[in-house]
Amino acid sequence: MPAKIYTEKDASLAPLKGKTCAVIGFGSQGHAHALNLKESGANVIIGLYAGSKSRKVAEEKGFKVYDTAEAVKLGDVIFVAVPDTKIGGVYKADIEPNLTKGKTLLFSHGFAIHYKTVVPPADVNVIMVAPKGPGHIVRRQYTEGKGVPGLIAIYQDPSKKSKQVALAWAHGVGCTRGGVIQTDFKEETETDLFGEQTVLCGGTSALVQAGFEVLVEAGYSPEMAYFECLHELKLIVDLMNESGIAGMRFSISETAKWGDVKVGPKIIDASVKKRMKAALKEIQNGKFAKEWIKETETGYKTFNKLLKDGEKHPIEKTGARLRNLMPWIKKRDFKGQQASYE
């Protein structure tokens, strides 16, 4: 049975009227939700730890900024927008001691609730509003009058009003413009992690780098390899986004179509699907979450090394030079604060 899709006609900001929306954190999702809600007419404050570099950025964007504990005290709906593995510590130190009956905890990903790094009291509402896109896209689409589709989920609902609040928040950040469906914390967490690891981030990054390496190692220029394996990927994905895989195939040449349907399944074959299933199993049984939490607790050594190794890949140097020839591609500083990335 198809899921019900909630749109603009199904939601309004009314359930947030007279409430204070406290956004804890001002990174990618935090800044997008805060700015979109504020511009939609909600009363939004920001909670950050003392010394956070994001304080100045949030203040420059017109927000009142409080220490996290104080923001929780002042907030009626508290959006926990800090990294997944830091949520547990922030919750214990600053959120839990200041939660009172009737407040609403809101998440944009189910990780902390599903893997129980946060166990909220029974008299607090717990909901999720998860835009299906990075925060910077959530913000950009909103400013363009569009919206990233989203998910809502209800984990605890002592007030019996949580769904209306979730839809109001989704409306305020622009998700109902693109369509919102209801899920649960388990489904959202496990499918989100699977998509990130095997297709959207991990799978795509590894596929692009491998294709680049094969062409360069065969003697072709890195510039040609970059265009064929990275630059044109956006063009293909845009076509898929607009009209599905079949629609993309309609738009490409017959030769490209033949290569797609004949060779593609030999590359992404049954062995890849088998490894995808293994990755899903580790998400479902909690192994991935435990390893990731342990990595964050032991100083991010492997994580930081893998990221630095990725930045040194030859495709990055080649891409930077070629992108500089295309002034219409906006230059991004990914070394600064996420809320300044615009």
Side-chain angles (χ1 to χ4, degrees):
M1 181 176 177
K4 176 172 173 52
I5 299 175
Y6 298 92
T7 61
E8 291 283 82
K9 65 180 175 58
D10 301 305
S12 75
L13 212 65
L16 295 178
K17 188 176 181 180
K19 297 185 183 295
T20 297
C21 302
V23 175
I24 310 303
F26 205 67
S28 178
Q29 288 290 341
H31 94 284
H33 285 238
L35 284 166
N36 293 4
L37 281 167
K38 180 175 178 239
E39 291 172 19
S40 292
N43 177 32
V44 182
I45 63 172
I46 306 300
L48 294 167
Y49 64 87
S52 168
K53 293 178 182 178
S54 293
R55 280 180 175 257
K56 183 182 177 188
V57 181
E59 287 168 351
E60 287 173 351
K61 293 188 181 293
F63 291 102
K64 288 185 178 179
V65 181
Y66 300 88
D67 287 347
T68 300
E70 185 63 19
V72 174
K73 289 178 187 176
L74 295 170
D76 298 296
V77 182
I78 298 118
F79 173 35
V80 188
V82 297
D84 290 327
T85 55
K86 288 184 168 39
I87 289 177
V90 173
Y91 178 78
K92 280 290 183 188
D94 295 316
I95 297 176
E96 186 176 39
N98 299 294
L99 282 179
T100 52
K101 182 179 179 179
K103 287 184 184 281
T104 297
L105 276 179
L106 186 149
F107 299 85
S108 62
H109 181 36
F111 189 100
I113 293 292
H114 182 55
Y115 294 119
K116 301 191 184 306
T117 62
V118 166
V119 180
D123 59 0
V124 169
N125 305 296
V126 181
I127 64 176
M128 182 198 308
V129 178
K132 296 313 294 173
H136 300 102
I137 304 300
V138 174
R139 177 61 182 153
R140 188 190 310 164
Q141 294 238 326
Y142 179 90
T143 62
E144 294 172 354
K146 298 179 283 190
V148 172
L151 307 173
I152 60 167
I154 314 302
Y155 184 74
Q156 290 183 180
D157 185 22
S159 72
K160 307 303 180 189
K161 297 177 181 178
S162 292
K163 185 173 181 178
Q164 290 88 337
V165 171
L167 283 170
W169 192 286
H171 175 76
V173 299
C175 289
T176 49
R177 296 174 181 177
V180 170
I181 64 173
Q182 187 165 352
T183 183
D184 57 53
F185 275 66
K186 178 181 185 295
E187 182 177 58
E188 186 280 334
T189 302
E190 295 177 355
T191 57
D192 188 73
L193 292 174
F194 176 79
E196 290 169 349
Q197 293 172 22
T198 67
V199 180
L200 304 175
C201 305
T204 299
S205 298
L207 186 66
V208 167
Q209 289 178 335
F212 179 90
E213 291 167 6
V214 167
L215 286 178
V216 172
E217 289 165 8
Y220 300 102
S221 72
E223 292 77 15
M224 286 296 295
Y226 178 86
F227 279 128
E228 293 301 330
C229 297
L230 191 153
H231 179 80
E232 290 190 44
L233 180 64
K234 181 184 185 307
L235 310 180
I236 297 300
V237 170
D238 282 349
L239 290 172
M240 289 185 184
N241 195 15
E242 290 166 9
S243 54
I245 294 174
M248 175 274 290
R249 287 171 174 163
F250 175 79
S251 296
I252 61 178
S253 71
E254 286 194 344
T255 303
K257 274 197 276 276
W258 176 241
D260 174 352
V261 298
K262 181 67 173 167
V263 181
K266 295 178 183 178
I267 306 302
I268 308 301
D269 62 6
S271 68
V272 174
K273 192 171 178 181
K274 183 178 179 181
R275 289 190 293 276
M276 283 182 164
K277 288 181 177 180
L280 178 59
K281 190 70 176 176
E282 292 191 357
I283 291 167
Q284 293 170 327
N285 64 25
K287 183 179 179 183
F288 168 78
K290 289 175 185 175
E291 289 181 349
W292 174 222
I293 291 169
K294 183 179 179 182
E295 174 68 18
T296 67
E297 292 174 343
T298 53
Y300 293 96
K301 292 178 183 177
T302 302
F303 176 67
N304 287 332
K305 181 183 184 303
L306 292 172
L307 285 178
K308 286 179 182 177
D309 288 347
E311 289 178 19
K312 294 174 186 174
H313 193 282
I315 200 171
E316 299 297 343
K317 185 176 180 180
T318 301
R321 185 161 67 85
L322 292 175
R323 288 191 296 274
N324 281 333
L325 301 175
M326 295 175 271
W328 55 88
I329 296 181
K330 191 170 182 179
K331 305 302 179 286
R332 305 289 188 181
D333 176 15
F334 59 86
K335 298 294 186 182
Q337 297 305 301
Q338 287 190 326
S340 301
Y341 187 68
E342 314 297 343

